[in-house]
Amino acid sequence: MKKSILLIGLLSSVAVAQQATDYSSKVDSLLQLMTIEDKIGQTVQFSGGWDVTGPTVSDVNEDLVKSGQIGSFLNLVTAKATKDIQKLAVEESRLGIPLLIGYDVIHGYKTIFPINLGLSSSWNPELVELTAQKAAEEAAAEGIHWTFSPMVDVARDPRWGRISEGSGEDVYLGKKLAEAYVRGYQGDDLSLPTTIAACMKHFVGYGASLAGRDYNTVDMGDNELRNTYLPGFKAGLDAGARTLMTSFNVINDVPASGNKYTLKEILRNEWGFDGLVVSDYTSINEMIPHGYAEDGKDAAQKSFSATVDMDMMGDLYRSYLQELIAEGKLTMDELDASVRRILTLKFELGLFDDPYRYSDVKREEATIYRQDILDAALEAARQSTVLLQNNNNVLPLKTKNIALIGPLAADESSIIGDWAAKGDRSGKAISVEEGLRDLLNQSNITVVQGTDINSTSTEGFKAALKAAKKAEAIVMVLGEDSNMSGEAASRASIKLPGNQSALLAAVREANPNKPIVLVLFNGRPLDITADITNADAVLEAWFPGTMGGQAIAELIYGKVNPSAKLSVSFPVNVGQVPVFYSNKTTGRPMNPMNPKGDYRSFYQDIPNKPLYSFGYGLSYSSFEYSNIQLDQVTRNGALELNFSAQIKNTSNVDGYEIVQLYLQDVTASITRPAKELKGFEKVWIKAGATKTVYFKLQKEELGFWNNGTFVVEAGQFKYTIAPNSDADLVHSFILE
Ligand code: NOJ
């Protein structure tokens, strides 16, 4: 025990002579003291458990900690439990190396923000950064050093349940939000007890899982990999993310957790990433059923030699690394390199200065559900809810006499969504019912469930119809439950589950002239083509989090003006999937004058266009775009493209508008998307006022990857500045 404390003292004093961020000599000194067993211990991550008494670590794992055979835990929470286990590592293991404690803090820790797909609909990087920063504060107070977030997988298939965890279909928006999450979690100083390390995941291609089925195979060309799936990772790492997680899928015939091309060639060699790479949960072992590794030992060898530093829950590194090194199949240098990366992170987090700095019972009490964190959750829910339809301006509602119907109307569990960390599933989140009651200051709202989320029984319809009959307006809260999206939650049908659509249709039929507001909870774009004909207004709330019900009530009654826009397209029908705005044109683009003819690219039975496109969303304000311009200037020898447009709020309601810049490289050495988002700005414009919005692009931002080389090619580009991705690119310029 004394030895460990001495060691920490020694290492800390070395630190004084070092630059704040260079820990290499401290890491080297420590490495010299370590046996091969100590080193391998650092590469091992196990899961904590949960008992009726609270968080636990099994006796076996406690012994492994004491003997230095575990370097990291996941799923271990609370200031007390994390401190207890840290004590074992620091005071009872030979070298006293502190443990690294990770957790899935995905969209909040205790206070839950909207799901990430919802957050991305805010198109507000500063707000996303704020949510990540607040989540980090709560998690850090409970002893967590590291979050497995952000998930930056571009996702274009709503059947895939994990589309809920990311920022949608677009590369550019995804990059901006990846940077925001990293800044939020890590801040400027990783060693502060309020910041935690971020983890870019899942490397790589996971969002393209075949047919939207989770963990499925991925095949894509190198250009698609580099132009679409890698940029989010690169952006997050450039913003300083210190760790990265491999993915479950196979990519181009090689499992991502043993893929030397993506991990060694691209991540380590090309990008120079020197941070920690962790596998996904048993993803190293899964190389056996993938048919890529013969057994656990072979899997460990393949993964470790691809520079995966830490084995999450697979127990293969602990079992086989020593043997593999003895046999010359792995080298001591490789082991040292991995351990160096792991220890460096522990130093950066300040764990060698004070291993208990994160686990602070007092700070935990003062931080969890703190008012400013709840306020951030409220603002995030307001800005993440997308108004998809508002026929005859039925919203904001003008009457207080409402019937509130649907299986999610009073829900305080699903509202916080999947991957809701330690969020409370009852008694804490504000349901839509509670939000409306508080706002309207009345207790006589009629609330009827009508049906269950996934039911065929129509027993409850009668009560719903009765309540609807008595009311002047009807608010229906329908959707998925939170288990229907997230990991291993693919759906082949993306319609409202059960008989919810039938309930809505029945309510409409009996009330043809009453305003019906449909509020949706879901973790993916749904096929709501039929449902929108039975509602006047549609609010896509995703899973809006702890403060969701309040935000929805405020939006329904116009206390807050909706400002979100979709970060992912809503298909007309699952048959269109994947449907996304930046598709290529085809050699036979559909002829709008003859949409079903001329041997062109179309469906005989449904349109090509999605129901709602990327970037779409309504507000209670209306905006007019004019004066779209481009000024090309050369500054210090570098070309700069200055785009601008004037946006007028033509309504009498102040509001946000999300202004979007789209470009197309018309002819290039490889085919390019029909449209690409290259800039956006969320601007507040007062009623009647006009704002000029500017976008400055460097020439490099018009480039792309072709066959492993990044190129910017001269020639014609089309562009526009518009409220969503449906706009035609009517302007053009020549890049010299
Ligand atoms: C598996 C998931 O794919 C990953 O995203 C998550 O971080 C780990 N499990 C740890 O819970």
Side-chain angles (χ1 to χ4, degrees), residues 630-647:
L630 165 64
D631 199 15
Q632 293 196 52
V633 289
T634 306
R635 232 181 277 282
N636 305 327
L639 181 70
E640 213 175 84
L641 297 109
N642 294 309
F643 297 87
S644 62
Q646 281 184 344
I647 324 295

Side-chain angles (χ1 to χ4, degrees), residues 184-399:
Y185 291 130
Q186 297 196 165
D188 296 330
D189 181 355
L190 206 50
S191 75
L192 293 177
T194 47
T195 55
I196 57 180
C199 181
M200 311 305 299
K201 73 182 189 187
H202 307 83
F203 200 73
V204 58
Y206 190 30
S209 292
L210 201 61
R213 183 152 56 76
D214 208 0
Y215 315 121
N216 209 357
T217 305
V218 174
D219 245 301
M220 67 173 71
D222 197 58
N223 290 344
E224 176 71 343
L225 176 69
R226 287 175 181 272
N227 288 319
T228 305
Y229 289 86
L230 286 176
F233 288 91
K234 182 73 166 62
L237 295 178
D238 287 348
R242 295 304 294 135
T243 80
L244 174 140
M245 185 188 291
T246 61
S247 56
F248 286 122
N249 55 284
V250 162
I251 177 147
N252 298 335
D253 305 331
V254 179
S257 295
N259 196 311
K260 285 199 174 148
Y261 176 62
T262 54
L263 288 166
K264 265 190 111 162
E265 265 189 53
I266 296 181
L267 179 72
R268 298 295 193 191
N269 297 345
E270 257 181 54
W271 297 359
F273 180 58
D274 64 354
L276 188 170
V277 173
V278 64
S279 75
D280 203 342
Y281 205 102
T282 64
S283 67
I284 303 177
N285 315 54
E286 289 164 30
M287 295 202 290
I288 305 168
H290 275 307
Y292 186 70
E294 244 168 58
D295 50 26
K297 186 171 162 187
D298 191 29
Q301 194 270 330
K302 289 193 158 118
S303 212
F304 201 75
S305 62
T307 74
V308 177
D309 302 310
M310 189 178 277
D311 174 5
M312 183 189 281
M313 266 314 273
D315 204 15
L316 294 180
Y317 284 3
R318 200 174 68 88
S319 310
Y320 299 113
L321 287 193
Q322 188 154 8
E323 221 173 298
L324 286 163
I325 291 171
E327 290 167 9
K329 292 185 177 143
L330 291 173
T331 65
M332 206 55 195
D333 282 353
E334 284 174 297
L335 180 60
D336 282 351
S338 279
V339 177
R340 198 170 268 123
R341 291 190 280 262
I342 296 166
L343 293 177
T344 301
L345 180 63
K346 292 185 176 183
F347 275 106
E348 288 170 343
L349 285 161
L351 293 175
F352 282 99
D353 292 331
D354 175 5
Y356 311 118
R357 72 191 332 164
Y358 291 82
S359 313
D360 181 332
V361 176
K362 281 214 179 99
R363 195 151 39 81
E364 177 182 38
E365 273 167 24
T367 310
I368 300 295
Y369 290 130
R370 213 175 53 205
Q371 191 55 48
D372 59 301
I373 305 180
L374 293 170
D375 291 347
L378 176 60
E379 188 55 25
R382 289 169 175 155
Q383 291 203 34
S384 300
T385 301
V386 191
L387 179 63
L388 293 176
Q389 175 169 289
N390 194 15
N391 295 345
N392 306 316
N393 293 326
V394 292
L395 288 183
L397 273 188
K398 284 101 200 155
T399 170

